[in-house]
Amino acid sequence: MAIYRLEAQIIGRKAKDRSGQPIPGREVSMLAKAAYRSGEKLKDERIDKTFNYASRSQEVVHSEIVAPEDSPGWLQGASSRDMRERLWNTVERVEKRKDSQLAREFLPALPVELSREGQIELVRDWCRTEFA
C-alpha cells in the first residue's frame, strides 16, 4: 500500500548551517544548488565561479526540467546541462533581492511498486499538471 508524503521547501540565496539556521551575511549561488541536485558542472556568470558536482552524478537517478509549452524556445530544445545553466543564470540575473525566493523543491515519496521508469513518468506527469 502506497503512503502519501510530499516535502516542499523554498530555495533562496541565504546560506544555512547544518541545523537550518541562516548564516548572517552569507549567500549561496542558485547554480551551486542546481549543480548539486543535478550532479553536473554549472557556471555562475554573476560571480564567475564554476560549481562541479559531476562526481555526484552516480547518486542522481534522474534530472529533468519540465517547461511550460509557452516558455522561450531556448528552454524547450537545448541540452539539459545548457538549459539548466542558462535557466538558473537568468534567475540569478533577474532576482536582485537578498531574500529572493529563487525556486521551490518538492520531495515526494514514490511508490516502490512502480518501476524506475514508472516513477519518473509519475513525477513528470505531476510536474506538467501542477506547474507547466
Side-chain angles (χ1 to χ4, degrees):
M1 180 169 139
I3 299 173
Y4 175 79
R5 181 172 181 273
L6 177 66
E7 185 178 329
Q9 67 179 5
I10 295 170
I11 298 177
R13 285 196 183 104
K14 291 185 179 181
K16 296 181 181 178
D17 62 19
R18 292 186 187 265
S19 66
Q21 297 301 315
I23 302 171
R26 291 236 6 240
E27 289 185 2
V28 178
S29 165
M30 185 62 222
L31 277 101
K33 294 177 181 192
Y36 179 80
R37 284 166 175 81
S38 64
E40 293 180 333
K41 180 179 177 180
L42 301 176
K43 182 177 181 182
D44 187 334
E45 296 167 356
R46 183 175 61 99
I47 59 175
D48 194 31
K49 186 173 180 182
T50 299
F51 301 95
N52 188 357
Y53 289 99
S55 62
R56 189 176 178 276
S57 65
Q58 299 299 325
E59 300 172 38
V60 179
V61 173
H62 184 77
S63 178
E64 179 179 342
I65 294 175
V66 177
E69 291 178 14
D70 60 347
S71 61
W74 62 266
L75 196 52
Q76 297 290 337
S79 74
S80 180
R81 191 189 82 66
D82 293 340
M83 181 175 24
R84 183 171 285 109
E85 192 171 77
R86 186 167 177 190
L87 170 66
W88 294 119
N89 272 305
T90 301
V91 169
E92 283 282 9
R93 189 173 48 257
V94 170
E95 293 295 337
K96 307 274 189 224
R97 295 176 49 140
K98 286 185 177 185
D99 63 347
S100 294
Q101 297 181 3
L102 304 174
R104 303 282 193 277
E105 180 177 51
F106 298 95
L107 301 170
L110 300 174
V112 295
E113 297 85 7
L114 293 177
S115 66
R116 178 70 69 202
E117 293 77 23
Q119 291 173 338
I120 291 168
E121 193 57 37
L122 177 69
V123 174
R124 185 180 291 133
D125 288 345
W126 179 70
C127 289
R128 284 186 184 134
T129 302
E130 297 301 319
F131 307 110

